Amino acid sequence: MAERENNKKSSDVRLSPAPWVATAAGLIVLLLGLVATFAIGIYSGGWHGTMSRWAADVFPFPAAIVDGRSVWVRDVLSDTDAFAAYREAHPEVQGVHLTRDQIQSNVLSRFVQEAWFEQIAGNRGIVVTDAEVNAEFATAKQSGSELQDMLKQFGWSEAEFKRRVIRVYLLQQKLRNTLGDEIYQQEAAQAVQKTVYFMKK
């Protein structure tokens, strides 16, 4: 009888969750709140400061989605900083009157266009080889110190310049030559319709 009562009492006892469960739950809530705060700030408030760039590096915030292909906030903010710095260092360059918001809008549009290039090229089997990129870069280097000065100002390595500028340029040229101007423009119009923006355009 006593044994039954002991078993009954034991089954009635409810153990409280381990202390680390509450701590982990609190951290998750805090993290989600942090993500939500930066998402609202970046998307609606146009945040672009040091902490926003850190958050964009840590969390994969999409700036836009082009027919399923993501354009990332971190890339848009990074290139906007680079172009803004170049503009400040070269007031003689056309477009110096552009605000940071206008520069960011142009950068975002360029990334969307690049995503479209890659999408269409991939669907049609159009590729740009490393050899083609290197050959074009060698031609660009003939400009002398101008290219090196530009890379330094933008904070880009030669590899980044090849990826961000040369490869995209060659891919665009191949698409135009393969599709023809009329189809090229039609495809571009369709890409615009299939693009969902999260950042302010």
Side-chain angles (χ1 to χ4, degrees):
M1 183 76 176
E3 186 177 349
R4 282 185 188 175
E5 288 180 359
N6 286 338
N7 287 340
K8 186 177 180 181
K9 288 179 181 178
S10 298
S11 63
D12 288 343
V13 174
R14 294 183 180 180
L15 298 176
S16 60
W20 61 264
V21 173
T23 302
L27 288 175
I28 291 172
V29 170
L30 181 64
L31 181 62
L32 291 175
L34 188 65
V35 171
T37 299
F38 277 109
I40 293 170
I42 290 170
Y43 292 140
S44 300
W47 291 3
H48 58 265
T50 303
M51 289 301 294
S52 297
R53 292 195 299 274
W54 169 84
D57 284 336
V58 174
F59 306 113
F61 292 128
I65 296 179
V66 185
D67 197 16
R69 185 181 294 266
S70 296
V71 172
W72 302 110
V73 168
R74 64 172 178 266
D75 296 327
V76 174
L77 293 181
S78 176
D79 270 24
T80 299
D81 288 341
F83 280 101
Y86 186 81
R87 177 203 61 184
E88 293 297 329
H90 298 276
E92 76 282 0
V93 176
Q94 185 180 6
V96 69
H97 61 281
L98 293 177
T99 65
R100 182 190 167 85
D101 286 345
Q102 290 171 320
I103 293 174
Q104 182 170 296
S105 178
N106 290 340
V107 168
L108 177 56
S109 295
R110 180 175 61 83
F111 272 116
V112 166
Q113 190 179 46
E114 288 177 19
W116 169 70
F117 290 159
E118 293 170 2
Q119 189 90 328
I120 300 302
N123 292 341
R124 295 175 179 267
I126 299 171
V127 297
V128 173
T129 66
D130 290 341
E132 291 171 324
V133 171
N134 291 333
E136 188 69 26
F137 181 73
T139 301
K141 285 186 74 171
Q142 293 177 0
S143 61
S145 61
E146 291 181 16
L147 176 60
Q148 293 304 320
D149 290 343
M150 186 185 72
L151 294 180
K152 183 178 180 181
Q153 190 63 52
F154 276 84
W156 289 347
S157 64
E158 291 188 356
E160 287 176 313
F161 180 76
K162 290 177 181 180
R163 176 176 58 84
R164 296 182 181 212
V165 179
I166 300 293
R167 186 174 295 278
V168 174
Y169 166 75
L170 292 176
L171 191 58
Q172 181 181 18
Q173 295 306 307
K174 283 196 172 187
L175 282 173
R176 280 191 177 276
N177 293 336
T178 302
L179 302 178
D181 282 339
E182 184 175 349
I183 298 178
Y184 179 90
Q185 295 300 333
Q186 290 174 0
E187 294 279 7
Q190 290 179 10
V192 170
Q193 295 174 357
K194 295 177 180 178
T195 301
V196 178
Y197 289 94
F198 295 96
M199 291 186 81
K200 289 181 179 178
K201 186 177 181 299

